[in-house]
Amino acid sequence: MDDLVGLDRLVDNTAYLRGLESDHNKLRLQRVPLTLPKPKRFSALWAAAEKTYESLCEQQPIGRKLFQQFLLTSDPQCVAAAKFLDELSDWSFAEDGTKEKAKQRILSKFCQPQSQTFLSYLTAEDVKLCLSHSDKNGEAAMELMREATRKFLKERPFLEYMKSPFFYRFLQWKECERQQITDRYFYEFRTLGRGGFGEVGTKLMRINMF
């Protein structure tokens, strides 16, 4: 009798482990990231791309994200510029109650020469104007710093970005945009119901490729 009980448990455990393995494999296949395609026409994509800082690094969300990642892996000045733009974005969306604190934090971190994250491309006149506008017109101070940062980034950092793996990744995304959306981008999540007109279900997009 004990042998039969042990055999039943062995069968139950084996079935349970196989079920777990099946679920794990199914989940693994569902979460396999879609790989970005290699640009088939690198030179054609490069020639077609609008090679301006505004288009590649500001107007296109993917380009803006990749350029920011590039800056964070570059020299300290580029890192400071990336952090400034990030905090500037937070400031622009801040509510009235926190907007003033956000502005003062930006000025103390990026507009004070003694700060480790001081934007060294700001001239002495820029710093003087920013600090003079800080109490009366915070918008003017932020805009002055934004324009100085844009002027700095449009030169050497932008040229280095276009030679970096981050820009190659951008071209991969542009190649991906050219592809037709098919069912391989999705997997079946759940069947909601069946009827005379067919089956209704839900599908989920596979894990983000970024």
Side-chain angles (χ1 to χ4, degrees), residues 92-205:
S92 65
F93 290 106
E95 301 293 335
D96 292 339
T98 59
K99 205 174 185 70
E100 179 63 24
K101 291 182 179 179
K103 182 193 71 175
Q104 294 300 331
R105 184 172 63 251
I106 289 174
L107 291 173
S108 64
K109 289 177 64 174
F110 303 106
C111 200
Q112 297 291 348
Q114 66 272 21
S115 172
Q116 292 184 347
T117 53
F118 171 64
L119 304 178
S120 60
Y121 48 81
L122 292 176
T123 65
E125 184 65 22
D126 290 337
V127 172
K128 182 178 179 180
L129 287 174
C130 286
L131 296 179
S132 65
H133 287 317
S134 61
D135 295 328
K136 302 177 183 177
N137 191 350
E139 298 279 348
M142 296 298 101
E143 185 60 27
L144 192 154
M145 294 177 69
R146 188 205 310 269
E147 286 303 316
T149 300
R150 178 182 285 124
K151 181 180 179 181
F152 165 72
L153 294 177
K154 286 172 68 173
E155 297 176 354
R156 178 183 57 82
F158 179 57
L159 295 176
E160 292 179 353
Y161 165 68
M162 289 193 293
K163 300 175 183 177
S164 73
F166 294 94
F167 184 69
Y168 180 78
R169 177 60 61 88
F170 172 77
L171 292 180
Q172 285 183 288
W173 275 102
K174 302 308 289 185
E175 179 70 25
C176 185
E177 289 178 358
R178 294 167 177 259
Q179 296 186 352
Q180 186 176 10
I181 298 297
T182 64
D183 57 356
R184 77 185 182 92
Y185 289 90
F186 304 89
Y187 67 87
E188 187 173 348
F189 175 65
R190 181 180 300 166
T191 299
L192 300 179
R194 295 181 176 87
F197 293 99
E199 184 178 278
V200 178
T202 58
K203 288 184 177 291
L204 294 179
M205 191 169 186

Side-chain angles (χ1 to χ4, degrees), residues 21 25-26 40 52 63 78 99 103-104 151 188:
E21 183 179 357
N25 290 336
K26 183 179 179 181
K40 299 177 182 178
T52 64
C78 290
K99 205 174 185 70
K103 182 193 71 175
Q104 294 300 331
K151 181 180 179 181
E188 187 173 348

